[in-house]
Amino acid sequence: MNAPVIVGVDGGPSAEDALVFGRWAAMTLDAPLVVAVVHPAPSALGSGRVDAEWVADRHRAAEAVLDQARAILAGNGEDVSYRIVASTSAAHGLHDLAEETAAEAIVVGSGRAGPKHRLFAGSTAERLLAGSVCPVAVAPAAMETPPGTLGRIGVAYVDTPDGRAALAMAARLAARTGSPLRLYTVVAETDASLPFLVGPDAEHAFLDTARETYELSLSRAVESVSGVAADWEIRIGDVVESLADLDDVDVLFCGSRGYGPARRVLLGGVSARLVRRARRPVVVVPRSG
C-alpha cells in the first residue's frame, strides 16, 4: 500500500481546511487518506476511576470529531480510514502515527487564533514542525481558492540541501498534477542588506553580486527538473512578507532549515514565520540526505 497522507483534526474551525487540502494531496499522490484525532492517554499518576471516566469522555469527544470529518468527506470514496490515537499531546500522537505508517505527509489546519485567509501555526503545528519525520503541511484558515484550481506549484528556493529537498518533492507533485513549477528567491531590500557604515556603493555592489549568484543557482535548479515546466522569479523585499503574500500557487514548498539531523523537519527562522502568515498552504520538507 502507498504511504498515506495523514490529516490531523481537532474539531476546531480549521479542520475543514486541513481535510480539503489533505484530500487533494492524497488524490494527487494516489495515496490513502488517514484522518486522525488525538485524545489524552491515561495518566500514570491518575486517580483511578476519575481518570478513567475523564479519558472515556475524551474518547467520546474524539469520536464526535471523526463524525464531523466523515460528514465533510462524504462521497470521497473508500480509501479513507479514521483513527483515534491516545497520546500525551496531539503533536506526539501524530508523530507516532506518521512513523507507524511511514506517512507521505501530515496535514493540519491553522491555529484557532489565526485570521481568515492566513496561516497561524498553533501549538500542534509548531510542535509537529519540530522534528517530524515527514513533510508537514499547514492549510490556511478559510481558503478562498481550493487547492488544484490555480495551476501552479511554488518553491521557496535557496541552493541548500533543504532547498533541494523541497524542490524534489514539489517537482513530484507538479508531475502528478501537470502544473508548472515556479521557484522563488527573495533578495533583501537595499537598506536591509548591509550595515549603513558600509556605504551605498558597496551595498549596491553586494546586491548585484547576490542577484547574479541567485540567478545562476535558480537557472541550474530549473534545468535539473525533468518532465515538468519550470521557471523562476527573484523578488526584492522582506523574505517572509514576499513569500507569504503569494496568492497564485496551489501550494508553496519550503525547506526546514540548513542544519539538524537528516530526514527531520526542524523549523528554521523563515519557515517558522512563513507558516504563520502565508495565504496559501505551505509544506515544510525535511532534508533527504
Side-chain angles (χ1 to χ4, degrees):
M1 185 178 72
N2 292 342
V5 172
I6 296 173
V7 180
V9 293
D10 63 0
S14 63
E16 185 168 359
D17 304 309
L19 289 166
V20 167
F21 183 78
R23 175 173 55 192
W24 174 76
M27 292 176 63
T28 300
L29 296 171
D30 193 24
L33 183 63
V34 176
V35 180
V37 61
V38 182
H39 74 81
S43 172
L45 301 177
S47 57
R49 180 176 177 179
V50 172
D51 181 62
E53 290 177 350
W54 182 74
V55 170
D57 177 72
R58 294 298 83 202
H59 186 87
R60 287 191 294 271
E63 289 281 11
V65 170
L66 289 186
D67 286 342
Q68 294 174 10
R70 290 186 181 96
I72 292 171
L73 294 177
N76 187 61
E78 297 182 357
D79 205 9
V80 182
S81 59
Y82 298 86
R83 295 280 299 270
I84 294 179
V85 179
S87 185
T88 54
S89 72
H92 193 178
L94 292 173
H95 275 157
D96 288 347
L97 184 58
E99 291 188 339
E100 174 193 330
T101 61
E104 186 78 50
I106 301 173
V107 181
V108 292
S110 59
R112 293 174 184 271
K116 284 188 176 183
H117 320 311
R118 290 281 177 169
L119 292 180
F120 188 93
S123 59
T124 297
E126 293 206 2
R127 290 175 183 175
L128 277 172
L129 288 163
S132 176
V133 297
C134 66
V136 176
V138 185
M143 282 186 290
E144 292 179 320
T145 307
T149 57
L150 294 173
R152 177 179 290 135
I153 307 296
V155 185
Y157 186 77
V158 178
D159 189 19
T160 63
D162 290 60
R164 292 189 288 273
L167 175 59
M169 186 171 184
R172 180 176 164 225
L173 188 69
R176 301 283 304 191
T177 62
S179 301
L181 279 176
R182 177 161 293 171
L183 283 61
Y184 298 91
T185 291
V186 182
V187 179
E189 292 179 289
T190 302
D191 60 0
S193 300
L194 290 174
F196 70 92
L197 293 175
V198 173
D201 292 338
E203 196 166 7
H204 281 294
F206 171 82
L207 285 174
D208 290 342
T209 301
R211 187 179 182 91
E212 290 174 4
T213 301
Y214 290 140
E215 287 178 352
L216 180 60
S217 67
L218 285 165
S219 297
R220 288 175 175 171
V222 165
E223 291 172 1
S224 73
V225 178
S226 60
V228 175
D231 61 9
W232 53 266
E233 178 182 334
I234 293 179
R235 293 187 160 211
I236 306 297
D238 177 83
V239 59
V240 173
E241 290 292 341
S242 295
L243 295 173
D245 283 342
L246 292 172
D247 60 2
D248 59 349
V249 296
D250 284 314
V251 56
L252 178 67
F253 286 81
C254 70
S256 49
R257 66 185 186 189
Y259 56 94
R263 299 187 180 89
R264 290 272 176 175
V265 168
L266 289 170
L267 200 61
V270 170
S271 51
R273 289 181 290 150
L274 181 59
V275 296
R276 296 188 186 104
R277 306 183 69 169
R279 300 178 65 181
R280 301 299 300 161
V282 172
V283 178
V284 183
V285 181
R287 283 191 293 142
S288 59

